[in-house]
């Protein structure tokens, strides 16, 4: 399992791009949807096939393709598993979750897990994860721990890679005057911050903050504009490579086969053969991939959810308020500046890995016991005995 370096953890960034690799590309027909269907089959053939389903575009697409292929091949339906959160309204995607599940007719197998402080950076679920695996990238990887426990002996499908493959950092030129004005305002704010890197990384020593800022800006500028080169470039980024490595290791530790269809080479080859010369929007790409083969609810535009309030909860607030500087490396972190930064709430997301690292350094593992785990799906009562989507509480 690849791990973030101490510098990655201190800076809150995972930067770097590996060298290009040569890969024999077989002839492909420009049918990304068919390729996506082939990509989900290995997971469907190892039930229970859990789908990490948030209701966003990426997970909705993966779920819809998995349902379509399962019914085509006569395999068991995939099991969508969804987190719902209290006290985090910007993360609420329940209306789209309901629409997509209804459109695909998978309500009989839908599992809903509910979280309050459960998914905090150092909350009950993260605590179990950190004591077993240490700090991993990304810092929210622990939210999949209960899903992997549910999928024990089976497989899990995710929408990992959607942000990179379908969207990327660069945006197509705005079409309306209002959109152009909004883009100008965003660029103006970004330009004002570029010259003050300590505003972006106030917890780092000044020279370190400048180095991180330069490296971050260089990597953002290096992203290719066209889809084909962009996909190949993102696949080599340390951020995505380490994420996939950590997810695979944790999944295999639970006897679960992880499958990320949006990163499947066959799908990516077909997608770039179809649209690789264009610089189109996410909505445009989805339209090219899906056409009218899936219910419109799957690819309908929707707002992007924000999950800060899911992971920054009471356990993190109490820890950062009481932290006395113990455990930090003064060569990487300005301890006084970090304490000052953490005196205000909410804390910067870039310090999330530091929260986990410093908490782990000062919090011994609990005495050996058998912690509560999510019940494997194959052991659950039949759908008639428990309404799918019932409130399955997960408290770690």
């Amino acid at each position: 399992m690849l791990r973030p370096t101490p510098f990655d953890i201190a800076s809150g960034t995972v930067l770097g791009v590996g060298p290009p690799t040569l890969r024999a590309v077989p002839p492909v027909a420009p049918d990304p949807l068919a390729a996506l269907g082939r990509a989900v089959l290995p997971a469907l053939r190892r039930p229970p096939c859990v789908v990490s389903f948030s209701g966003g575009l990426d997970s909705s697409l993966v779920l819809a393709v998995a349902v379509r292929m399962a019914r085509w091949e006569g395999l068991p339906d995939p099991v969508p598993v969804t987190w719902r959160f209290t006290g985090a309204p910007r993360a609420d995607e329940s209306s789209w979750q309901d629409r997509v599940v209804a459109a695909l007719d998978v309500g009989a197998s839908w599992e809903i897990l509910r979280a309050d402080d459960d998914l905090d950076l150092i909350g009950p679920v993260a605590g179990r994860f950190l004591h077993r695996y240490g700090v991993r990238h990304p810092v929210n990887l622990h939210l999949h721990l209960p899903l992997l426990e549910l999928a024990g002996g089976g497989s899990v499908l995710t929408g990992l890679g959607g942000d990179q493959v379908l969207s990327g950092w660069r945006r197509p030129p705005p079409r309306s005057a209002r959109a152009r004005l909004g883009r100008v305002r965003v660029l103006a704010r970004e330009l004002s911050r570029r010259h003050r890197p300590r505003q972006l990384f106030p917890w780092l020593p000044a020279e370190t903050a400048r180095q991180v800022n330069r490296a971050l800006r260089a990597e953002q500028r290096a992203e290719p504009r066209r889809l084909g080169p962009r996909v190949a470039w993102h696949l080599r980024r340390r951020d995505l490579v380490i994420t996939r490595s950590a997810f695979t290791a944790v999944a295999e530790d639970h006897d679960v086969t992880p499958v990320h269809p949006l990163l499947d080479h066959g799908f990516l080859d077909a997608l770039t053969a179809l649209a690789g010369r264009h610089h189109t929007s996410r909505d445009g790409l989805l339209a090219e991939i899906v056409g009218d083969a899936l219910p419109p609810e799957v690819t309908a535009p929707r707002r992007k959810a924000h999950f800060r309030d899911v992971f920054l909860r009471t356990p993190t607030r109490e820890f950062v308020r009481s932290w006395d500087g113990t455990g930090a490396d003064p060569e990487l972190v300005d301890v006084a500046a970090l304490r000052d930064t953490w005196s205000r709430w909410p804390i910067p997301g870039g310090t999330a890995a530091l929260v986990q690292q410093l908490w782990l350094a000062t919090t011994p593992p609990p005495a050996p016991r058998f912690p509560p785990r999510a019940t494997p799906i194959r052991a659950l009562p039949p759908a008639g005995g428990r309404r799918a989507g019932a409130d399955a509480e997960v408290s770690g």
Side-chain angles (χ1 to χ4, degrees):
M1 184 192 316
L2 299 177
R3 301 169 179 263
T5 68
F7 187 82
D8 297 333
I9 293 172
S11 65
T13 62
V14 177
L15 301 175
V17 182
T21 57
L22 295 177
R23 183 176 67 86
V25 179
V28 292
D31 187 354
L33 189 60
L36 203 55
R38 289 191 291 271
V40 303
L41 277 176
L44 292 170
R45 288 170 175 156
R46 195 182 186 213
C49 174
V50 163
V51 181
S52 179
F53 172 62
S54 69
L57 286 170
D58 303 334
S59 65
S60 295
L61 175 61
V62 170
L63 176 62
V65 171
V67 170
R68 184 173 185 252
M69 290 302 297
R71 292 171 183 172
W72 182 272
E73 297 285 334
L75 297 168
D77 269 357
V79 180
V81 179
T82 300
W83 279 107
R84 286 189 176 174
F85 318 104
T86 60
R90 298 181 71 201
D92 180 25
E93 298 179 279
S94 57
S95 63
W96 280 108
Q97 293 161 2
D98 293 337
R99 291 186 205 181
V100 172
V101 165
L104 299 176
D105 191 23
V106 288
S109 61
W110 189 18
E111 292 288 334
I112 295 179
L113 311 179
R114 297 191 179 274
D116 185 3
D117 286 349
D118 307 79
L119 296 179
D120 179 88
L121 290 173
I122 52 175
V125 177
R128 285 201 290 126
F129 182 94
L130 291 168
H131 280 305
R132 183 161 184 170
Y133 301 107
V135 180
R136 292 291 178 264
H137 176 77
V139 294
N140 62 359
L141 187 59
H142 61 275
L143 73 86
H144 280 99
L145 185 59
L147 277 70
L148 294 171
E149 292 169 350
L150 284 169
S155 60
V156 63
L157 287 166
T158 82
L160 180 64
D163 286 339
Q164 294 85 354
V165 170
L166 301 177
S167 184
W169 294 331
R170 299 181 187 270
R171 298 291 182 266
R175 296 180 179 179
S176 68
R178 181 176 181 180
R180 286 193 291 272
L181 179 59
R183 180 71 62 85
V184 168
R185 288 172 176 167
V186 169
L187 290 174
R189 287 196 297 269
E190 289 181 353
L191 285 171
S192 69
R193 290 197 297 263
R194 285 180 200 176
H195 302 291
R196 296 191 294 271
R198 286 221 68 184
Q199 288 189 2
L200 293 175
F201 306 98
W203 64 93
L204 298 178
E207 180 55 31
T208 303
R210 285 191 287 271
Q211 292 174 4
V212 174
N213 187 57
R214 284 194 296 267
L216 176 61
R217 295 301 305 166
E219 190 158 315
Q220 290 172 336
R221 288 192 300 270
E223 184 192 47
R225 289 185 178 274
R226 291 192 296 114
L227 178 67
R230 184 182 84 204
V231 167
W233 183 81
H234 272 291
L235 291 177
R236 304 196 312 271
R237 292 186 61 236
R238 287 183 63 240
D239 180 12
L240 190 55
V241 171
I242 293 177
T243 297
R244 294 179 73 175
S245 171
F247 197 106
T248 297
V250 176
E252 291 178 348
D253 191 39
H254 289 79
D255 190 25
V256 173
T257 298
V259 178
H260 313 296
L262 299 180
L263 295 175
D264 175 77
H265 282 298
F267 167 66
L268 296 177
D269 292 341
L271 181 63
T272 54
L274 177 69
R277 295 184 178 277
H278 307 314
H279 179 215
T280 187
S281 67
R282 192 189 197 108
D283 295 344
L285 268 182
L286 287 171
E288 291 198 65
I289 294 169
V290 171
D292 59 359
L294 299 176
E297 291 85 355
V298 172
T299 56
R302 62 205 71 177
R303 70 170 181 83
K304 185 78 171 174
H306 299 277
F307 295 93
R308 183 187 69 182
D309 293 341
V310 172
F311 303 111
L312 298 183
R313 309 281 290 209
T314 301
T316 292
R317 184 195 290 258
E318 292 179 349
F319 175 76
V320 299
R321 282 181 173 175
S322 63
W323 182 64
D324 61 3
T326 301
D329 184 346
E331 294 187 2
L332 295 174
V333 175
D334 184 328
V335 175
L338 180 59
R339 293 188 67 188
D340 179 68
T341 300
W342 280 355
S343 69
R344 294 175 290 278
W345 189 262
I347 63 173
T351 63
L354 274 172
V355 170
Q356 294 182 331
Q357 182 190 58
L358 297 172
W359 176 86
L360 195 57
T362 57
T363 308
R369 65 186 182 93
F370 296 99
R373 293 165 63 94
T375 306
I377 285 176
R378 63 182 56 188
L380 293 176
R386 166 183 171 184
R387 187 205 177 302
D391 298 349
E393 300 292 340
V394 175
S395 60

